C-alpha cells in the first residue's frame, strides 16, 4: 500500500476511514474513520456527514469494508445531521461491559458548538448508537483522541479554547462518560490532532500545528505520567518533507508486537474523498527520543 495515497479495500474501492483509529479485538483489526465518499459541497472544503466507516483485517493490509457503523441522520435537530460535523472517531473495547465505545468530535457547521459524542455497540462492526453529546467537564472539545492505559483506565485527550490548550480527561469505568478528573497541558501552544502511545515507562503525544488543511511540522511531547507535566520536545519526523509531516497530519498511534506505528491523513481539501493515508514506523533511541521514519509503502507490521 503506497503511503501518501488513497488505499483500496479488498473489493478495489477507496477506503473511506479518515481521521480514524485502529482497534485490535481478538484476532482481527478494525479501522474506524470518517466516510467522505462524496464530492465536496459546492465551493466548500467539506463533505456533508455520511457517517463512520468500519473496515476489518487480519494483517493490517487487506481491509474488508464492514459498512457504516454510525450513520448520518435526517433530523435537522440531530447532532448527526448530514449538515453538521462528525470527525476523528475513536473506539475502545470495554471488557467489563463487553461493549465497544466510540467517542467523536461533534460540532456545528461553523465549529462553534465544539462537543463530543459518545456511542456504543455490542459488536465491533456495530451498529453504534449515540448515547449522549457533552462538553467534557463543561469545556469545549475540538480535535480529540482516546488512549487506554495498561491498567484499563481510559482517557479523552482533546483540544480546547480554539485549540490553544490540550485537556487530558479520565473516563469512567464503562468508557461512556468522564469521571470529572482532568488536567490542562501545553497551554497556549496551539496544537491539534493528538495521538498517544507509551514506551519505556514514558507517555508520548504527537500533535499537529493549527494551520487548517495545510501541512505543518509535527511535534512530540513526553511525560512520565499521563496526567502530569508534558514537555514539548521536537519534530519526530525523519525523511523527505519531514518539516511538513510528509504532507500529512497525525490521526492515531497504535502498537502491534510491541512496535509502534503512526497513522497519517493526507488531506486534499478540494477533493476530500480522495485524501490518502500513511502508516509509518515509530522508534525510540536509548535516551527515549522518538523518531517517525518515512517509508514508501506499508506492508504490515514487523514481526
Amino acid at each position: 500500500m503506497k503511503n501518501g495515497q488513497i488505499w483500496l479495500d479488498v473489493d478495489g474501492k477507496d477506503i473511506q476511514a479518515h481521521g480514524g483509529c485502529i482497534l485490535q479485538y481478538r484476532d482481527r483489526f478494525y479501522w474506524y474513520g470518517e466516510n467522505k465518499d462524496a464530492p465536496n459541497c459546492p465551493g466548500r472544503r467539506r463533505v456533508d456527514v455520511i457517517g463512520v466507516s468500519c473496515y476489518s483485517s487480519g494483517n493490517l493490509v487487506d481491509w474488508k469494508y464492514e459498512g457504516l457503523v454510525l450513520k448520518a441522520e435526517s433530523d435537522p435537530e440531530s447532532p448527526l445531521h448530514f449538515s453538521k460535523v462528525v470527525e476523528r472517531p475513536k473506539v475502545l473495547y470495554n471488557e467489563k461491559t463487553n461493549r465497544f465505545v466510540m467517542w467523536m468530535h461533534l460540532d456545528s457547521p461553523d465549529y462553534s458548538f465544539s462537543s463530543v459524542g459518545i456511542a456504543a455497540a455490542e459488536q465491533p462492526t456495530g451498529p453504534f448508537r449515540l448515547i449522549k453529546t457533552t462538553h467534557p467537564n463543561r469545556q469545549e472539545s475540538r480535535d480529540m483522541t482516546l488512549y487506554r492505559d495498561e491498567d484499563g483506565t481510559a482517557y479523552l485527550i482533546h483540544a480546547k479554547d480554539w485549540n490553544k490548550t490540550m485537556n487530558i480527561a479520565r473516563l469512567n469505568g464503562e468508557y461512556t462518560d468522564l469521571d470529572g478528573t482532568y488536567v490542562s497541558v501545553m497551554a497556549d501552544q496551539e496544537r491539534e490532532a493528538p495521538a498517544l502511545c507509551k514506551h519505556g515507562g514514558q507517555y508520548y503525544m504527537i500533535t499537529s500545528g493549527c494551520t487548517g488543511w495545510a501541512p505543518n511540522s509535527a511535534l512530540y511531547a513526553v511525560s512520565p505520567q499521563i496526567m502530569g507535566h508534558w514537555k514539548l520536545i521536537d519534530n519526530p519526523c525523519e525523511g523527505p518533507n519531514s518539516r511538513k509531516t510528509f504532507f500529512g497530519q497525525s490521526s492515531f498511534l497504535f502498537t502491534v508486537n510491541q512496535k509502534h506505528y503512526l497513522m497519517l491523513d493526507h488531506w486534499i481539501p478540494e477533493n476530500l474523498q480522495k485524501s490518502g493515508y500513511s502508516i509509518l514506523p515509530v522508534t525510540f533511541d536509548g535516551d527515549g527520543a522518538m523518531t517517525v521514519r518515512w517509508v514508501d509503502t506499508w506492508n504490515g507490521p514487523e514481526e
Side-chain angles (χ1 to χ4, degrees):
M1 303 176 83
K2 183 75 172 175
N3 278 330
Q5 298 183 5
I6 191 77
W7 291 350
L8 305 180
D9 65 17
V10 294
D11 295 318
K13 297 181 179 179
D14 291 350
I15 292 176
Q16 292 293 335
H18 309 277
C21 72
I22 288 177
L23 170 72
Q24 184 174 3
Y25 176 66
R26 295 178 179 170
D27 60 348
R28 290 193 71 76
F29 299 92
Y30 296 88
W31 181 0
Y32 304 91
E34 307 161 34
N35 188 306
K36 294 188 178 296
D37 195 17
N40 280 30
C41 299
R44 302 189 67 186
R45 294 182 165 188
R46 64 159 286 148
V47 171
D48 280 344
V49 176
I50 297 170
V52 176
S53 297
C54 176
Y55 295 81
S56 71
S57 174
N59 59 10
L60 288 163
V61 174
D62 302 304
W63 292 98
K64 175 188 175 185
Y65 182 51
E66 300 288 356
L68 288 175
V69 295
L70 184 72
K71 297 180 180 180
E73 298 180 356
S74 59
D75 179 2
E77 300 302 314
S78 169
L80 299 176
H81 186 255
F82 66 82
S83 68
K84 297 182 181 178
V85 172
V86 178
E87 294 178 338
R88 297 191 172 269
K90 303 293 185 282
V91 178
L92 296 176
Y93 173 64
N94 188 287
E95 285 88 351
K96 292 198 306 184
T97 62
N98 293 315
R99 291 206 297 175
F100 299 83
V101 184
M102 178 189 296
W103 288 61
M104 72 212 86
H105 172 206
L106 293 184
D107 222 322
S108 52
D110 63 358
Y111 284 85
S112 64
F113 187 57
S114 60
S115 71
V116 293
I118 305 141
E122 305 302 319
Q123 301 295 329
T125 53
F128 283 79
R129 294 179 176 84
L130 189 67
I131 299 171
K132 65 182 296 185
T133 63
T134 187
H135 290 91
N137 298 300
R138 299 182 180 180
Q139 300 183 59
E140 67 175 41
S141 179
R142 300 183 186 278
D143 274 12
M144 48 129 307
T145 193
L146 295 179
Y147 177 76
R148 184 183 186 274
D149 214 338
E150 296 162 336
D151 64 358
T153 306
Y155 301 85
L156 168 70
I157 298 89
H158 66 96
K160 66 167 190 171
D161 301 337
W162 289 97
N163 294 325
K164 290 185 181 300
T165 299
M166 285 284 173
N167 268 10
I168 300 174
R170 195 168 64 197
L171 306 190
N172 65 11
E174 293 74 35
Y175 303 166
T176 55
D177 207 342
L178 291 308
D179 76 355
T181 303
Y182 73 94
V183 295
S184 296
V185 302
M186 293 186 281
D188 296 320
Q189 295 300 314
E190 297 191 346
R191 309 302 297 173
E192 61 182 10
L196 273 76
C197 71
K198 187 178 184 180
H199 179 83
Q202 299 271 5
Y203 296 89
Y204 292 80
M205 185 191 310
I206 294 178
T207 56
S208 166
C210 298
T211 54
W213 295 108
N216 57 66
S217 178
L219 291 176
Y220 79 93
V222 64
S223 176
Q225 297 178 328
I226 191 167
M227 302 190 81
H229 172 72
W230 286 79
K231 181 181 179 181
L232 277 170
I233 305 296
D234 202 353
N235 179 1
C237 299
E238 183 178 281
N241 303 305
S242 60
R243 303 308 297 179
K244 295 290 186 181
T245 316
F246 318 117
F247 295 109
Q249 186 184 47
S250 49
S251 59
F252 195 66
L253 278 161
F254 66 96
T255 304
V256 181
N257 300 329
Q258 298 183 317
K259 293 183 171 63
H260 307 284
Y261 301 92
L262 175 66
M263 301 176 68
L264 297 179
D265 287 293
H266 296 268
W267 299 112
I268 304 176
E270 306 302 335
N271 187 10
L272 287 167
Q273 65 180 320
K274 287 296 184 180
S275 298
Y277 312 98
S278 290
I279 296 180
L280 303 174
V282 179
T283 58
F284 300 86
D285 68 15
D287 295 323
M290 170 187 270
T291 298
V292 178
R293 179 172 50 88
W294 175 258
V295 293
D296 289 332
T297 58
W298 167 247
N299 298 312
E302 300 175 10
E303 296 297 329

